[in-house]
Amino acid sequence: QRLTVNLPGLTMKNPLMPGSGTFGFGDTPAAEKMDLNGLGALVIKTTTPHARKGNPQPQIAMLKNGVINSMGLTNPGVDAVVNGKLPHLRQKYPDLPVVGSIGGSSVTDYQCVAQKLANSNMLNALELNISCPNVQEGGMAFGTSPQTVEEVTRKVKEVTGSIPVYVKLSPNVTDITVIAKAAERGGADGLTMINTLLGLHIDVETRQSVIGNGMGGLSGAFLKPLAVRMIYQVAHVTDLPIIGIGGVETVDDVLEMFFAGASAVGVGAAHFDDMEVIPHLAAQLEQRMNELNIESLEELREEVRNEF
Ligand code: RRO
């Protein structure tokens, strides 16, 4: 009960959700073995107007301190998602809050995907992914200029009706507060932050990148201080709810996100060590809150708000 979180469109039994891509459309081998009802919400893989095979293999590699990926927005395209993946997911999990994720390489693309996902009536909220670092056309380019962030957010809001839209922000910017404010002006209902940080890991034996595409998005534990800093900054300039994501592994990491100003928490790379990390963290959260004299998670966001 104390773990319940209410966000626009999402009533979650615990504040934890996977990062987009972690469980595909709820149909990955790991997801098939689990009961996804242990998640506060499920965020599905970013979806584009047409199917995408993704970038050259290998698309992902483990680093000493985290993960680098250049999946390249692999997905079956929005029609296959709406007509196949989502009905299947909904049949299996009628009560699970599900968040769709909108991708594209033009404003028209984003609007097309947003409208089809919204009209499916099978999603509780949408994420607007303007921060994929792994595609040439669009992706992160949309999320790094305040003008385009505002425009694409506004255009997506025009076609999504009453379904809340969380804008997923890129850490590959100098001032995240400028981008967050642009999303707010465009009509965002919330923010998800942060996506992966663009990086490169070269193997000295092969003298080549460890992933096929060269550069890729970094995730994992070392990213947490960056995410916490950015969430903290943004929480002080907007009232929008923030889904905090970036390097969360432990129950204290979850609470740190709340102390920074998040209202819910995403977990991505930690799934490589434990596919059930979310139910495991949820099971520990209440006891840790007691130890730290935290009455409710909402009060933590309120405390940050009072620092304005
Ligand atoms: O598919 C990807 O390459 C990908 C995406 Br869409 C994203 O938003 N973030 C990321 O690290 N990889």
Side-chain angles (χ1 to χ4, degrees), residues 66-103:
V67 181
I68 186 166
N69 90 79
S70 185
M71 308 304 292
L73 249 169
T74 324
N75 80 97
V78 68
D79 292 332
V81 170
V82 166
N83 299 322
K85 302 287 186 186
L86 286 178
H88 184 79
L89 178 65
R90 271 306 177 208
Q91 193 178 19
K92 201 165 167 191
Y93 295 106
D95 301 322
L96 178 67
V98 179
V99 182
S101 175
I102 311 161

Side-chain angles (χ1 to χ4, degrees), residues 67-294:
V67 181
I68 186 166
N69 90 79
S70 185
M71 308 304 292
L73 249 169
T74 324
N75 80 97
V78 68
D79 292 332
V81 170
V82 166
N83 299 322
K85 302 287 186 186
L86 286 178
H88 184 79
L89 178 65
R90 271 306 177 208
Q91 193 178 19
K92 201 165 167 191
Y93 295 106
D95 301 322
L96 178 67
V98 179
V99 182
S101 175
I102 311 161
S105 48
S106 65
V107 173
T108 322
D109 277 3
Y110 279 108
Q111 265 194 316
C112 157
V113 175
Q115 189 159 31
K116 288 181 176 180
L117 290 179
N119 288 347
S120 75
N121 287 320
M122 288 179 280
L123 295 167
N124 302 82
L126 294 167
E127 243 175 33
L128 172 55
N129 185 355
I130 50 171
S131 46
C132 175
N134 296 326
V135 290
Q136 276 300 316
E137 345 73 55
M140 194 171 86
F142 278 91
T144 48
S145 136
Q147 287 78 19
T148 45
V149 170
E150 183 177 344
E151 188 201 353
V152 72
T153 305
R154 181 168 288 124
K155 293 282 189 192
V156 160
K157 284 292 292 176
E158 278 172 19
V159 297
T160 43
S162 59
I163 300 186
V165 175
Y166 295 78
V167 180
K168 185 151 186 183
L169 303 187
S170 173
N172 301 286
V173 297
T174 347
D175 189 346
I176 191 88
T177 65
V178 171
I179 304 294
K181 294 298 277 182
E184 186 172 33
R185 283 195 303 278
D189 300 283
L191 303 169
T192 304
M193 55 189 289
I194 52 179
N195 207 319
T196 52
L197 184 68
L198 192 61
L200 173 63
H201 182 71
I202 299 166
D203 182 304
V204 295
E205 306 252 327
T206 64
R207 306 183 181 199
Q208 284 182 343
S209 168
V210 291
I211 52 171
N213 197 48
M215 294 187 287
L218 301 170
S219 58
F222 73 97
L223 213 63
K224 193 190 62 173
L226 175 65
V228 168
R229 183 266 287 179
M230 290 186 153
I231 292 161
Y232 183 84
Q233 285 181 303
V234 169
H236 285 80
V237 299
T238 175
D239 260 344
L240 291 179
I242 298 168
I243 300 168
I245 177 165
V248 168
E249 291 185 336
T250 67
V251 70
D252 282 9
D253 296 339
V254 173
L255 290 170
E256 189 180 358
M257 288 287 183
F258 279 95
F259 280 116
S263 297
V265 173
V267 185
H271 283 91
F272 286 107
D273 290 327
D274 176 9
M275 283 314 289
E276 308 232 24
V277 60
I278 286 182
H280 291 157
L281 289 173
Q284 299 163 44
L285 195 51
E286 204 158 349
Q287 189 188 335
R288 193 63 180 138
M289 285 167 67
N290 290 338
E291 289 167 7
L292 298 172
N293 295 315
I294 299 165

